[in-house]
Every structure is written in structure tokens, then in C-alpha cells.
Amino acid sequence: MQRFVYVQTFGCQMNAYDTERILQVLEPLSYTPTDDPAQADLILLNSCTVRDRAEQKLMSYLGTFAPLKQHNPDLLIGVGGCVAQQEGEALLKKAKYLDLVFGPDNIPSLPALIDRVRSEGQRLSETVLHKKKDGYEFVAGKPLEDGKPVANVTVMKGCNKNCAFCIVPQVRGRELSKPADDVVAEVTRFVESGVREILLLGQNVNSYGHDRSDGVLFPQLLDRVAAVPGLDRLRFTTSHPWDCTDELIDRFATLEPLCEYFHLPVQSGSDRVLERMRRGYTAAEYIERADRIRAVVPGIYFSTDIIVGFPGETEADFEETLSLIDRVKYDFLFGFTYSPRPGTKAAQYEDDVPEPEKARRLQVVFELADRQRRARLATLQDQVVEVLVEGPSRASTALKPQMMGRTRTNVIVNFPVGSMALGQLRWVGQMAQVKVTRVSPHSVTGEVVQIEETTRPRPFLAGLGVSTAA
Ligand code: SAH
């Protein structure tokens, strides 16, 4: 019997990766993914709790799915991810129509859980966080037939930092690194299936390997992954400034696939706030790291995360954040207003910056970041950039079909095509030389001047219905 599963993903790339694993473990149960919740026999929400708003969004989504149960009595609704981990059973009490709650470490048990819910008619919650140093088994990622030439590979789970604002260590546990041989094997499988760009994922990837004794730390892991034949591009996220060693930075000079893009969250430019956040570095130390990265990789694109309105953040502290942004200059910036998360250190502090003031500060940060990003993107006007073609652009319409891809520096490049005919879809996974004709606030648009004629295997195109035979 064919059944359909609808999965909605919230939050970070770790969750997106977990969603792939969820679909993977459900495959033997003959669940076909669908984009239409009304068609589904199983609705799963992979939730995020990093900020208050993410959690509210989950609850309102859940509410909209409840009525579907009246039309389909067999429908099961489940919540996975970080809210599930945080709330467990309590979530079953809050949402009466919810059948199943499972934590990020319980994805492998999902088929058995679903089976029990169906056969016993019971509502279940399994949120056992793996706490031991060993014995954890990562679900090995498997190439999807989604036609994408880019893939994520998780290299570790959890986080050992104790940033005062952050709930991640609570819901994802301590750091556990995937053995390097497994990472390399996974990357190799992806590349053999046609993937050309890999993003290595972890909450704090650059502390990779400190929980293991095989001597492979993050720089050595990069060496091994970069050596996989056929891998053109390699990225990683997220890094903590504290673990951003010279040894790591120097890899940008020596490893050809390592792309010229670095995301290094700073959170604040005030030493007083950084200390209360327990970030473990000063603004000057962070700036020294950024300067070093730029010295090793001139022209690198650089991005960060900023929190405004952390408890006790004064106007003077905030000004220091602005001057740090002004000094470092970011090409992309992700900014957030602080929200207290249950069980964190900062939740004990008085949340004393009024919401409208937090919103104002965020607005000021965004305006500054906007100016910096626009200035940087403007330098691309009339330049020819190399783009790995990922597929149809989000801006694509029937009248104006467009494809998209990214530069090594992570800039989104859209380019019109005559039609979405199969000929153009064959470009997916190819390197295109694109001349930039227009610069938009967040991306650029251009014309293809040359497309690579590769003979490399691209079996994933079968998923798009495109024959790869020449
Ligand atoms: N280890 C990751 C954390 C991912 S959370 C990292 O260092 O990037 C992504 C971003 O969310 C954080 O960098 C931070 O800027 C923001 N964030 C985390 N907790 C928050 C909170 N309680 N309130 C507001 N923003 C928060």
C-alpha cells in the first residue's frame, strides 16, 4: 500500500539534514514524500527551539494540521527536532491531536514508533538524548535523487560550549564526532552520485575530533575530505571563534576545493556583553581572527550572526557592536533579537531591553549590513563569475524561466534561460560562466557566457527525468 508523508522542516541546516534522515528511515515503510499535507497519512514537523519565535511558529502550524484528521482518521501527526527534545511528553498534553514526539537522537526508532502508535493506538514520546561518550550511531547520509549537485554531510552532533543564551547543548547534547572514515565514505558516495559541492555540518564543526583519540581534528578532516576525487567545492558551518585556529585558517591557502566563504558568529562587539554571554573571546581577539582569515584568503566573503538586546546590553554596548561590524565588514549578516530560552543561564537574567528597543537595534544593524552587502555585490557588476548550477531559481516563472547557482563565495546568481526544457535542465550540476548584468540587494542576475561540457557521471539527473546519455 502506498502511503504519503509530509515533512515540514524548521530551523537550521542540522534540521534540514535530519529531515533527509527521517525520509531515509521511512523508505522501507513505503512512505512517499508529498508536498501536500492534505494527501499525507503521516505529517511530521521537524521543529526548532533556538529562538522563541521558532517555537511559536511550530505551535501555530500544528494547529492548522489538526482539522485534517477529521477527513483522514488514519492520519498520524508527529513532532521531531529540538522542541520535541525539550518538551517531550508535555507536547502530547499541549496538543491533543498529536500522536508522536521524537527527539533528534531517536530518528532511527521512528519506524518502530510509528508501528506502535498504529498498532497499539497509543500516543508516544521518545526523546532519549544520547549522553555517553561512545555508542552513538550516526545515520549515514545517502544520496537523494533530488537532482541537486550540493549535499550536506553532518560530521558531529551536539555542542560543548556553554553560551549563556543558547539552548542547543540542552537539546542536542554533548559533542560527538562522526569517525573520519565514515565522513569520507559518505562524501565519496555523494560525489560518485554526481554531487560536486559538500557542506560539512555541525553546531561547532571546528571543535571536531576533540572527543576522539585518533588524532583527526577538523583541519585533518578537511584534508581528507578535500582529497576525495571529483569534489570541486567544500564548505563547513558553523564555526566558533574560540576554536578558529591558525591551522584551520591556513587550510584555505592549501586546499583547492575549500571555498572562499567563512561564517564566524560574533554575537556582540562589546566585551562586557561577550563575557556575560560566555563566548570566551574579546572583540579584539575576534577582529584578529577575521584579519588573519582575510590575510590568508584575500577577497574571501565573510558572514556572521549578531544578537541584539541581550540582558544588560546598554546603548554603549550596542554602539560597540556597530563599530565591530563597521570594522570587520560583512558580506552577509544574520541578526536576531534576544529571546530567553528555558533552562539557559541567561534565562535567569532580567530580560531588560524592551522589545521595541530590541527591534530598533536590529533594524540599525540590518541597515549597516545592507550597505556593506550592497557595496560588495556591486563590485560584481559586469564581471564573469563561475557558478555551480543548482536548478530552477526561486524567482523562476513560466514566462521568465530562470536557473540559479552559487559562486564559491556563496553569492546567489540567477540567470534567465530560454525555457525550462530538458536541454537547460542538463545544465544542473555544470559549472557556468555567468556575466553579471544586474545587482540586487541579496543576489545578482546575469547571462551565461559559457557552460562547461562535462563528461562526469551525473546519475542524479535521472531524478529530474533527464537522460544523461549524450
Ligand atoms: N552553534 C551555532 C548556533 C546556532 S544558533 C553557531 O554558533 O552559529 C544560530 C544563531 O542563533 C546563533 O549564532 C545566535 O546568533 C542566534 N541565537 C541563539 N540563541 C539565541 C537566543 N536565545 N536569542 C536570540 N538569538 C539566538
Side-chain angles (χ1 to χ4, degrees):
M1 189 181 80
Q2 194 185 24
R3 292 186 288 196
F4 291 94
V5 56
Y6 172 86
V7 189
Q8 172 103 34
T9 312
F10 300 85
C12 67
Q13 284 142 323
M14 289 305 248
N15 269 12
Y17 185 84
D18 284 351
T19 292
E20 290 180 15
R21 305 292 70 79
I22 288 172
L23 292 174
Q24 198 175 319
V25 301
L26 290 179
E27 239 171 48
L29 305 192
S30 311
Y31 276 105
T32 308
T34 173
D35 292 335
D36 177 10
Q39 188 192 29
D41 309 285
L42 175 64
I43 292 181
L44 297 176
L45 304 183
N46 194 2
S47 63
C48 170
T49 184
V50 77
R51 289 170 294 272
D52 191 35
R53 193 170 298 167
E55 194 173 333
Q56 287 167 11
K57 228 159 101 186
L58 169 82
M59 295 317 281
S60 71
Y61 255 88
L62 257 183
T64 63
F65 293 137
L68 294 177
K69 284 202 148 178
Q70 283 158 10
H71 302 286
N72 179 3
D74 286 336
L75 171 64
L76 295 187
I77 303 182
V79 171
C82 297
V83 178
Q85 186 59 45
Q86 189 196 343
E87 302 234 349
E89 298 264 343
L91 210 52
L92 291 178
K93 297 207 176 77
K94 274 191 199 166
K96 293 278 174 251
Y97 42 86
L98 191 59
D99 302 288
L100 178 65
V101 174
F102 60 103
D105 284 356
N106 307 103
I107 292 174
S109 332
L110 190 55
L113 283 171
I114 292 171
D115 202 46
R116 276 181 57 204
V117 173
R118 287 217 190 269
S119 61
E120 297 167 19
Q122 254 191 63
R123 303 164 71 218
L124 292 175
S125 161
E126 187 175 313
T127 53
V128 190
L129 193 62
H130 185 95
K131 288 198 176 126
K132 288 196 292 275
K133 222 174 170 259
D134 46 29
Y136 183 80
E137 290 206 17
F138 287 92
V139 182
K142 171 174 130 186
L144 298 173
E145 286 193 348
D146 62 356
K148 289 236 178 81
V150 297
N152 297 344
V153 170
T154 187
V155 301
M156 62 190 300
K157 74 169 216 90
C159 183
N160 289 0
K161 295 277 178 292
N162 56 355
C163 304
F165 52 81
C166 191
I167 199 167
V168 167
Q170 261 182 72
V171 291
R172 292 277 176 168
R174 308 277 299 164
E175 286 172 4
L176 272 173
S177 303
K178 188 186 274 184
D181 286 347
D182 294 356
V183 174
V184 172
E186 205 169 315
V187 170
T188 306
R189 271 199 305 281
F190 275 116
V191 173
E192 283 169 355
S193 83
V195 165
R196 302 181 71 170
E197 176 175 317
I198 292 282
L199 174 65
L200 301 179
L201 284 181
Q203 289 298 343
N204 182 15
V205 276
N206 47 1
S207 76
Y208 173 88
H210 286 291
D211 58 311
R212 299 179 56 80
S213 50
D214 54 12
V216 182
L217 299 180
F218 196 55
Q220 289 78 34
L221 183 72
L222 289 177
D223 292 342
R224 293 197 51 191
V225 172
V228 171
L231 179 68
D232 290 296
R233 291 179 172 191
L234 178 59
R235 307 182 191 278
F236 56 84
T237 205
T238 297
S239 306
H240 188 289
W242 202 86
D243 299 295
C244 184
T245 58
D246 287 354
E247 204 190 354
L248 168 64
I249 295 172
D250 289 345
R251 289 303 189 278
F252 282 90
T254 54
L255 299 178
E256 212 283 321
L258 204 52
C259 291
E260 295 75 24
Y261 171 65
F262 205 119
H263 180 64
L264 197 59
V266 65
Q267 315 299 2
S268 168
S270 150
D271 288 346
R272 212 178 60 89
V273 173
L274 286 171
E275 166 133 36
R276 281 164 57 84
M277 285 179 166
R278 303 187 186 167
R279 289 290 287 180
Y281 55 84
T282 62
E285 282 163 345
Y286 178 92
I287 290 170
E288 190 273 324
R289 292 289 79 192
D291 286 351
R292 163 104 198 184
I293 292 166
R294 284 228 163 88
V296 172
V297 202
I300 195 169
Y301 276 54
F302 206 58
S303 65
T304 201
D305 291 346
I306 297 282
I307 297 176
V308 297
F310 186 76
E313 185 189 73
T314 62
E315 184 61 30
D317 292 320
F318 175 61
E319 295 287 334
E320 290 188 54
T321 297
L322 294 179
S323 43
L324 180 135
I325 298 172
D326 208 32
R327 165 71 169 76
V328 176
K329 298 215 172 12
Y330 292 103
D331 301 298
F332 306 100
L333 182 150
F334 305 89
F336 312 98
T337 56
Y338 168 76
S339 56
R341 306 311 295 130
T344 58
K345 178 75 187 160
Q348 298 166 13
Y349 303 155
E350 192 194 342
D351 185 12
D352 57 356
V353 181
E355 290 305 320
E357 177 57 15
K358 286 182 189 168
R360 184 196 70 83
R361 289 181 191 179
L362 189 60
Q363 192 53 35
V364 175
V365 164
F366 282 155
E367 279 163 18
L368 176 56
D370 254 24
R371 283 201 296 280
Q372 295 185 342
R373 194 183 55 249
R374 281 167 188 264
R376 186 67 188 263
L377 291 181
T379 65
L380 296 177
Q381 179 72 41
D382 299 326
Q383 302 290 314
V384 175
V385 293
E386 185 175 81
V387 173
L388 175 59
V389 183
E390 288 181 27
S393 151
R394 256 201 267 171
S396 189
T397 61
L399 283 180
K400 248 186 91 188
Q402 288 192 61
M403 305 277 274
M404 68 75 68
R406 282 166 211 267
T407 60
R408 284 175 62 103
T409 52
N410 216 23
V411 174
I412 292 178
V413 181
N414 295 306
F415 50 94
V417 286
S419 73
M420 245 353 132
L422 295 186
Q424 265 83 22
L425 279 180
R426 284 179 61 95
W427 286 0
V428 172
Q430 307 281 66
M431 294 288 174
Q433 304 297 324
V434 179
K435 181 165 183 191
V436 175
T437 53
R438 191 159 54 84
V439 175
S440 308
H442 296 271
S443 61
V444 300
T445 304
E447 285 160 12
V448 174
V449 291
Q450 201 189 333
I451 187 95
E452 174 190 44
E453 267 315 320
T454 182
T455 49
R456 54 190 291 141
R458 293 184 297 149
F460 62 85
L461 281 184
L464 294 174
V466 180
S467 153
T468 51

